[in-house]
Every structure is written in C-alpha cells, then in structure tokens.
Amino acid sequence: VQLQASGGGLVQAGSSLRLSCAASGRTFSNYATGWFRQAPGKEREFVAAITSSGLSTYYSDSVKGRFTISRTNAKDTVYLQMNFLEPEDTAVYSCAADRDACTGYKCLSTERSYEYWGQGTQVTVSS
C-alpha cells in the first residue's frame, strides 16, 4: 500500500489543521494506521493510531484532548484533526500502516509495528 500525507502548513498557536493520509494499492480498510511526528533534532514520536475497523483509537499524552484521528475507509483515508495547536507541535508528520498490526496502545504506538510509511508533511506552529 502507498501512503500520501498532506494538509500541513504554517499556522498560529491556537489554530487548527487537518492532516490526511490517503492510501492506494490495497484495501486500506484492512490496515491499522498511525501518525508519528519528528521535530528538528528530536527522535520521531508517536502521535495517534486507529485500528482497521476504526473502533479503537490511541493518543499520546501530549496530544490527547486536542487531536482526533479518524478514518473513512470508503475514501481510503485517515485523518488527523489537530486543534489548539501549540508551537511544540511543530514537526514533520508522517502516517504509517500495517495490515497485520497488533492491537493496543503499546503496540500501535511503536514504529516497528508498521510496515508501510508515507512521506511527511510539515506542520509549523508559530507563537
């Protein structure tokens, strides 16, 4: 499966953005999907994940309550709605997917659980 992330941009603190991760090549509804981000000089970190069914979602503590992950399998797309953005959210955001992903936060928050990765989209939040 090929993944294409989009929707990043430059916004002010307190603003909102919606990132999209569009899939092609396979039946995306069979894939668990996660969002990760990497800020300059830092390691990539988990942001949010959603199971293939969409029934379960997981968030890092730093974004819980501000970000919402969702999916529209009919459109082969996973979204990350980001509200109340903070300068600390500035990073390159990437989406990842795996058909045989395990379940639960511990697994889906781990990079190596995902086989397929899209290119990143830059999110910059100014103070």
Side-chain angles (χ1 to χ4, degrees):
V1 63
Q2 292 78 45
L3 304 175
Q4 179 78 32
S6 62
L10 171 62
V11 297
Q12 291 187 332
S15 300
S16 299
L17 278 175
R18 188 177 78 160
L19 305 184
S20 298
C21 177
S24 61
R26 298 289 174 88
T27 304
F28 195 45
S29 60
N30 295 330
Y31 290 74
T33 305
W35 284 97
F36 292 77
R37 67 185 182 186
Q38 187 168 21
K42 295 186 177 181
E43 294 186 354
R44 186 158 56 186
E45 65 174 0
F46 169 74
V47 177
I50 188 168
T51 54
S52 57
S53 66
L55 294 178
S56 296
T57 57
Y58 307 92
Y59 300 92
S60 67
D61 288 342
S62 61
V63 307
K64 194 175 297 182
R66 299 187 299 121
F67 291 11
T68 302
I69 188 170
S70 62
R71 68 188 305 150
T72 304
N73 286 335
K75 295 184 179 180
D76 289 337
T77 303
V78 169
Y79 302 99
L80 184 67
Q81 177 67 42
M82 306 187 296
N83 298 328
F84 305 107
L85 283 162
E86 303 168 353
E88 293 74 22
D89 296 318
T90 295
V92 175
Y93 286 71
S94 301
C95 57
D98 196 276
R99 178 170 181 172
D100 298 316
C102 46
T103 58
Y105 178 90
K106 186 175 181 180
C107 179
L108 291 178
S109 65
T110 302
E111 291 183 41
R112 60 178 178 270
S113 296
Y114 298 91
E115 181 176 0
Y116 302 99
W117 289 80
Q119 94 299 343
T121 185
Q122 176 71 47
V123 172
T124 303
V125 185
S126 63
S127 57

